[in-house]
Amino acid sequence: MKPTSNIKKRAEKLRETIRYHDKKYYDEAAPEISDFEYDRIYRELKDLEERCPSLKTKDSPTQRLAETTGKHFKTIPHRVPMLSLDNTYSFDELKEFDERVQKGLGGEKYEYVCELKIDGVSIELVYLKGELAHAVTRGDGEKGDDVLANVRNIPGLPVKLKGSSVPDRVEIRGEVFFTRKDFEAINEEREEAELPLFANPRNTASGTLKTIDPAEAAQKPLHILLYYVFSPGKLPFGAQEDSLEWLQKMGFPEDEHYRLCKTIDQVHGYCEEYQARRGKIGFDCDGVVLKINRFDQREKLGTTSKIPRWAIAYKFPAQKAETTLKDITLQVGRTGAITPVAELEPVLLEGTTVSRATLHNEDEIKRKDLRIGDKVLVEKGGLVIPKVLQPFPEKRTGKEKVFKMPPTCPVCGSKLEREEGEAAWRCENAACEAQVERRIRHFGGRDAMDIRGAGPAVVKQLLDEKLIRDYADLYSLTELQVAELERKAEKSAQNLVGQIEDSKGRTLGRLLFALGIRHVGVHVAEILASHHKDIWALSKASEEELSVIDGIGPIVSRSIVVFFSKPANIKIIKKLEKSGVNLKRLKEEEPSGEQPFLGKTFVFTGELKGYTRSEAEGLVKKLGAKAAGSVSKLTSYVVAGEAAGSKLKKAKKLGIEVLTEDGFETLVKKYKG
Ligand code: IVH
């Protein structure tokens, strides 16, 4: 068919849009549209080009992969191009794919291996003479960045392949990703440090792989799963299933989810099963990849210029729903930042009811042109926090209202301010009730002073009853006052006084984080603590002195100096000091050059005799390890004290090394020398 000028224009527009989004996705790791939307646009262009072949230009995004490589890494060509897969959202098309396979194999028997399509960042590992030599990103499909330094510390990734049957060169492809839990923890920390949040686990993984400092990347709990092994030499297997078993034998993390399917109906069953389970597997996956099991049959089917004929991706339908934006309310954070929140008509998404979603800031509302009363599209996207994607302007009745930021704080009424270059409006009144409440909650938080009983309800009650006015007042609470709360059946308040007492001995790093200094997250607080003998030494440091510390930038330095210049802050620190709260650097926080446990993850369970949980965690962290709360395949050691329960069981099941307290001490001594 000959294209009309309208069709030509449409195709050009689609190309331009795809190029724009390719750049956002591949170069900037900051996609603006969902995969679903991208696929829709891509398909429309492909369909147009198929109907009117003269539209197929050489530079059309359908003819080549997006070009991209970063500047900080060495560019390495892929010996075999990293192709993408054909994909579909429909079972009928899977059946058509199967019919093509049947025909292509001329009646031979064949099987599929179904795997989850992990929504991470693809990577190619190159092993030369059994040693990990390169880890190359996909880049433009022909060449990518060698990000080996950031990949080699991923727990469970062997840097040497064992055994004699390994060819000189082996290439293994897979996906690097974050679990949802780890992603949320990273974002929580960024939120505390007032850094922009990552949009999703995949962007975070992409950003981490491109981190310039490998030590920084090593702190992040990246995961890897491999799904494609090939070599110019002879491999000791000839089918996908055997290759996955071989990977496991070589020490790579195990894929617990793949399945051999004998018929397309079994494939269908697998897709439906995982579509229903996708929210519960712990990481983002956006579909299923089905692959012909036998390599010789793959060869027979071959590859078109851009996609293999032996594999296809079935994509899960997007988890989106339409609902009404009933209102936009405002939340006041601990630093006074005002966050607009979408109040939605409750709607069921992925098994949970969604009725609120953050709108981040005023500009975001303007950019999306969201109006109160609009019909909107919301997405759960595997994330815990749902997102409002867009309004449906065509469904407006005329009654919708444009949102306007009020001039004053909704809680205390003081004037809102917005600094140049900042996205958030702020309530500058440090005594604003909402801020005070959030500050106290933050002070007692898990990564701060860890006062478990001081949850949101208890803090609110303590404030309402005027038992406290700031976090330092927690230390003057009496058993009697708390008993009153307990009587009111506040179960979490039980033993609150004991917990508050315990918190007096926390590390300087925890205290610095607990104070809620802007831009000081957990990590920055630990760095600051390791460089100052006590809080008073830090309070006297100048901006210049602070900004020479590795990991402390000018914004953080400025913020620290401003914090200590305010008499109210000095007053509250003195109040803490008087109550007996530790303001000094503890021994375990002293700087250490050696990081022998880098890349290792410890889980402590049960009761230890010689250490509190936080002391033991501090000790391994100082040696470069991570301390996690739950056991997974990526745990390096589980240290089991008295009365260890389910975590110990899980460690045994997963075959993870379990240490007694004595064993732990021996290990630490060995490394500390
Ligand atoms: S196989 C030639 N298997 O999905 C076959 N890909 O368009 C190569 N992906 O960029 C791909 N999980 O990064 C394969 N189990 C899996 C996968 C998977 C995720 C990604 C891969 C590729 C894209 C396919």
Side-chain angles (χ1 to χ4, degrees):
M1 190 172 107
K2 244 176 105 74
T4 62
S5 73
N6 265 351
I7 291 186
K8 269 193 204 153
K9 260 196 218 142
R10 178 74 190 149
E12 196 36 55
K13 176 94 196 119
L14 290 169
R15 273 185 210 127
E16 213 176 282
T17 313
I18 292 171
R19 276 188 208 117
Y20 173 80
H21 291 297
D22 277 346
K23 189 159 168 288
K24 287 271 153 205
Y25 182 100
Y26 291 111
D27 289 352
E28 297 168 25
E32 284 175 359
I33 56 172
S34 63
D35 289 359
F36 182 77
E37 185 61 12
Y38 180 90
D39 290 340
R40 200 187 56 71
I41 302 170
Y42 191 93
R43 272 202 165 214
E44 187 184 337
L45 178 61
K46 234 181 133 84
D47 284 350
L48 281 185
E49 289 177 344
E50 241 136 63
R51 273 195 285 147
C52 320
S54 67
L55 282 177
K56 253 188 221 172
T57 53
K58 260 212 179 107
D59 67 340
S60 170
T62 57
Q63 303 304 305
R64 62 183 181 94
L65 293 164
E67 241 172 74
T68 158
T69 45
K71 290 166 214 76
H72 296 286
F73 303 95
K74 206 169 157 206
T75 304
I76 298 218
H78 298 293
R79 214 178 41 84
V80 177
M82 272 175 106
L83 302 177
S84 56
L85 290 176
D86 197 5
N87 65 59
T88 174
Y89 288 88
S90 100
F91 287 129
D92 286 343
E93 286 186 12
L94 279 193
K95 266 218 141 79
E96 285 167 22
F97 168 80
D98 184 53
E99 278 157 19
R100 285 197 299 276
V101 165
Q102 217 167 13
K103 232 164 120 193
L105 292 178
E108 271 178 40
K109 270 199 166 163
Y110 56 90
E111 290 168 324
Y112 290 109
V113 168
C114 286
E115 294 163 13
L116 294 182
K117 185 170 180 324
I118 305 160
D119 196 7
V121 181
S122 34
I123 195 90
E124 173 173 83
L125 307 176
V126 182
Y127 285 84
L128 298 177
K129 295 211 169 5
E131 272 192 44
L132 180 57
H134 306 288
V136 193
T137 61
R138 171 166 153 174
D140 63 0
E142 301 286 337
K143 56 188 183 310
D145 292 332
D146 191 353
V147 290
L148 178 65
N150 292 335
V151 168
R152 44 177 316 131
N153 289 317
I154 298 179
L157 182 71
V159 285
K160 250 194 167 91
L161 299 178
K162 294 166 265 174
S164 52
S165 51
V166 180
D168 278 357
R169 181 183 176 102
V170 181
E171 285 153 47
I172 309 177
R173 290 183 185 168
E175 211 77 2
V176 173
F177 59 98
F178 281 111
T179 63
R180 284 191 196 136
K181 225 171 149 189
D182 287 336
F183 163 72
E184 275 153 29
I186 291 171
N187 254 356
E188 257 173 46
E189 193 176 311
R190 290 181 73 83
E191 191 160 20
E192 292 302 350
E194 295 195 15
L195 291 167
L197 299 190
F198 288 121
N200 55 46
R202 194 194 54 224
N203 288 352
T204 319
S206 170
T208 307
L209 283 184
K210 300 271 170 92
T211 307
I212 316 283
D213 176 7
E216 196 187 320
Q219 296 292 328
K220 303 242 170 74
L222 276 176
H223 289 233
I224 191 165
L225 268 181
L226 290 313
Y227 46 68
Y228 190 23
V229 189
F230 56 98
S231 166
K234 191 161 165 37
L235 285 165
F237 45 77
Q240 180 69 4
E241 194 185 26
D242 303 334
S243 75
L244 295 176
E245 276 170 21
W246 178 84
L247 281 170
Q248 216 185 312
K249 249 194 358 230
M250 287 291 148
F252 288 93
E254 177 194 355
D255 176 359
E256 303 166 23
H257 301 284
Y258 80 86
R259 188 177 300 161
L260 190 70
C261 292
K262 291 194 189 327
T263 63
I264 196 74
D265 287 338
Q266 283 182 9
V267 169
H268 189 150
Y270 180 91
C271 293
E272 283 197 322
E273 182 183 326
Y274 274 94
Q275 195 163 306
R277 277 176 64 184
R278 66 184 294 202
K280 298 203 176 77
I281 56 172
F283 54 84
D284 282 355
C285 72
D286 54 352
V288 168
V289 181
L290 49 143
K291 309 172 174 178
I292 291 293
N293 190 26
R294 268 169 48 190
F295 294 169
D296 61 327
Q297 292 180 327
R298 289 185 183 182
E299 239 166 79
K300 208 164 171 181
L301 289 164
T303 296
T304 68
S305 66
K306 223 182 137 185
I307 47 173
R309 290 199 191 88
W310 48 264
I312 190 167
Y314 167 74
K315 291 243 213 157
F316 296 143
Q319 307 152 81
K320 293 191 180 116
E322 189 183 316
T323 186
T324 308
L325 177 60
K326 289 194 306 187
D327 200 1
I328 296 177
T329 56
L330 299 175
Q331 218 170 49
V332 187
R334 118 185 108 76
T335 59
I338 308 283
T339 311
V341 177
E343 305 289 343
L344 304 163
E345 188 64 48
V347 60
L348 205 65
L349 256 183
E350 233 202 304
T352 52
T353 307
V354 173
S355 53
R356 304 184 90 202
T358 169
L359 294 171
H360 302 291
N361 52 55
E362 189 188 19
D363 291 347
E364 177 96 353
I365 300 173
K366 279 197 189 140
R367 199 174 60 78
K368 290 186 174 154
D369 186 25
L370 293 170
R371 303 186 192 172
I372 297 168
D374 264 345
K375 292 268 179 261
V376 292
L377 189 66
V378 289
E379 178 185 49
K380 187 95 190 315
L383 307 173
V384 170
I385 309 164
K387 228 162 108 175
V388 178
L389 292 174
Q390 58 162 90
F392 292 104
E394 67 279 12
K395 296 192 178 171
R396 286 188 180 137
T397 62
K399 289 200 185 123
E400 295 74 17
K401 277 192 262 142
V402 173
F403 169 78
K404 256 193 83 168
M405 196 59 133
T408 55
C409 170
V411 176
C412 72
S414 26
K415 195 165 165 280
L416 296 182
E417 315 268 350
R418 183 173 172 178
E419 271 173 47
E420 219 182 287
E422 286 215 355
W425 284 90
R426 256 170 223 288
C427 161
E428 298 284 353
N429 169 21
C432 168
E433 261 177 51
Q435 287 187 47
V436 171
E437 186 179 331
R438 295 235 161 199
R439 272 204 297 272
I440 299 172
R441 272 163 54 182
H442 171 77
F443 184 85
R446 195 188 50 194
D447 295 324
M449 299 302 263
D450 197 15
I451 307 170
R452 297 284 156 102
V458 171
V459 170
K460 182 154 186 349
Q461 211 169 346
L462 289 168
L463 281 167
D464 285 351
E465 315 233 336
K466 307 223 165 2
L467 292 174
I468 57 173
R469 270 174 319 188
D470 57 40
Y471 48 71
D473 285 341
L474 287 170
Y475 294 97
S476 6
L477 281 176
T478 64
E479 291 275 5
L480 205 70
Q481 287 168 325
V482 174
E484 184 70 8
L485 281 183
E486 281 174 18
R487 201 182 53 75
K488 289 184 178 152
E490 265 310 339
K491 215 168 161 232
S492 58
Q494 273 166 25
N495 197 25
L496 182 59
V497 174
Q499 290 174 18
I500 293 173
E501 189 59 32
D502 282 350
S503 78
K504 288 182 180 171
R506 298 273 185 264
T507 58
L508 177 59
R510 278 179 175 267
L511 176 70
L512 290 177
F513 175 61
L515 295 179
I517 306 170
R518 279 183 69 191
H519 306 296
V520 177
V522 175
H523 185 57
V524 167
E526 281 171 5
I527 299 177
L528 290 171
S530 78
H531 282 81
H532 297 88
K533 72 175 194 338
D534 59 24
I535 203 162
W536 300 122
L538 174 65
S539 75
K540 290 184 195 92
S542 68
E543 265 181 77
E544 294 72 39
E545 282 165 334
L546 289 167
S547 48
V548 296
I549 301 174
D550 211 13
I552 310 290
I555 296 175
V556 179
S557 309
R558 171 103 202 105
S559 168
I560 294 165
V561 170
V562 168
F563 179 87
F564 286 109
S565 72
K566 292 192 176 157
N569 291 332
I570 300 294
K571 202 168 141 198
I572 202 163
I573 295 169
K574 285 195 171 145
K575 202 159 143 189
L576 290 171
E577 186 172 40
K578 234 169 128 189
S579 311
V581 173
N582 170 55
L583 307 184
K584 294 198 187 85
R585 174 175 64 198
L586 301 185
K587 219 174 158 32
E588 73 218 48
E589 296 179 282
E590 281 169 17
S592 114
E594 292 284 311
Q595 300 250 293
F597 286 172
L598 199 65
K600 299 259 184 283
T601 303
F602 282 76
V603 174
F604 293 92
T605 174
E607 210 160 305
L608 300 176
K609 289 196 202 79
Y611 314 80
T612 63
R613 180 74 55 87
S614 68
E615 278 168 358
E617 289 183 354
L619 188 62
V620 294
K621 274 196 200 162
K622 204 183 146 213
L623 295 171
K626 255 191 56 151
S630 60
V631 180
S632 77
K633 278 183 311 186
L634 299 171
T635 308
S636 323
Y637 298 103
V638 170
V639 181
E642 289 278 319
S646 63
K647 287 183 196 170
L648 177 59
K649 242 191 180 157
K650 180 144 186 218
K652 284 189 176 149
K653 198 176 139 221
L654 294 175
I656 283 153
E657 188 164 349
V658 177
L659 299 173
T660 59
E661 189 167 342
D662 286 347
F664 170 64
E665 285 199 328
T666 317
L667 184 75
V668 170
K669 269 199 202 116
K670 190 169 117 196
Y671 281 105
K672 279 177 87 180

